[in-house]
Amino acid sequence: MSIYTRLGIAPLIAALLLSAPLNAHKGHQDDMSDEEMVMMEAGLTDVEDMHAMDHAASPGADPNVAAPAQAMTPAQVMQEKIEENRLSSLSDLISRLHPAVVHFPIALLLLAGMAEVAMKWSPSVGLQTIVRLLVAFGTIGAIIAVLFGWFAGGWRLDDQSSNLAIHRWNGTAIAVLGIAAWTLAVRDGGRTRLRILLAIIAAAIIVQGYYGGEMARGPNHLGIM
């Protein structure tokens, strides 16, 4: 198997492992905390239900005010979810496309870094051109993914969810670093700086994948804590 084949397969595997299917669900758009979103995923359907739960559990609460009961059949729950998930606007569609577009910049930017590693042992003008193209398309993809991610998470600078905040700003930083790497690659100089930038981007992608998994699959989704 040639080095080009290995370089082509590895980023695809990494993309599948790192890009957890981030669901742009109502909790993120409503700026809920991580704890509130865990409660919502456990069966509570909206913030009002959660407040009712908090009231029922608080000391001195009126015993006649009970937490909302879940008495729906599976078919009714399914139909409710179908209705709840209907598109409401163009921005809603864009936010839902975020999980679909994140795979491409992950694969392309990781592949660019691996190509740079290969160049260290086997310098090649052809590889330099490949790196330039990979960084360019990877950066364009990252910018699109970040834009769609801001639609998915809501347009605000502060989040109650720490997972969403890290995911939002780390992803934005990846796009900014990608632009800087693209500039270095086009100038065809400063390969040491380019390699450092690509190494930082690779580390940031790992962080991005982890917090995307936390948001999609719940706290401690890797079971390492």
Side-chain angles (χ1 to χ4, degrees), residues 178-222:
I179 294 172
W182 187 3
T183 302
L184 289 175
V186 168
R187 291 177 179 175
D188 203 20
R191 303 220 71 87
T192 299
R193 288 180 293 170
L194 175 59
R195 289 167 184 170
I196 292 173
L197 274 179
L198 290 175
I200 295 173
I201 289 172
I205 286 174
I206 294 174
V207 173
Q208 192 73 349
Y210 175 79
Y211 282 98
E214 288 287 281
M215 294 166 60
R217 299 179 182 176
N220 196 29
H221 72 286
L222 292 180

Side-chain angles (χ1 to χ4, degrees), residues 53-154:
M53 286 281 287
D54 290 340
H55 175 76
S58 62
D62 186 348
N64 296 319
V65 179
Q70 301 294 321
M72 299 176 67
T73 66
Q76 288 173 325
V77 172
M78 178 65 73
Q79 186 59 39
E80 184 181 74
K81 284 296 182 183
I82 290 174
E83 294 297 330
E84 181 183 311
N85 286 331
R86 291 192 187 281
L87 287 174
S88 60
S89 64
L90 177 60
S91 64
D92 185 23
L93 173 62
I94 292 174
S95 71
R96 297 185 191 207
L97 290 175
H98 175 63
V101 300
V102 298
H103 300 76
F104 300 102
I106 288 174
L108 294 174
L109 291 172
L110 289 178
L111 183 54
M114 297 176 72
E116 275 293 328
V117 172
M119 283 181 57
K120 186 172 180 61
W121 283 277
S122 179
S124 168
V125 175
L127 274 178
Q128 290 182 9
T129 302
I130 290 173
V131 168
R132 191 179 302 120
L133 290 173
L134 289 172
V135 172
F137 286 113
T139 300
I140 292 171
I143 293 171
I144 294 172
V146 166
L147 178 63
F148 285 19
W150 276 79
F151 274 100

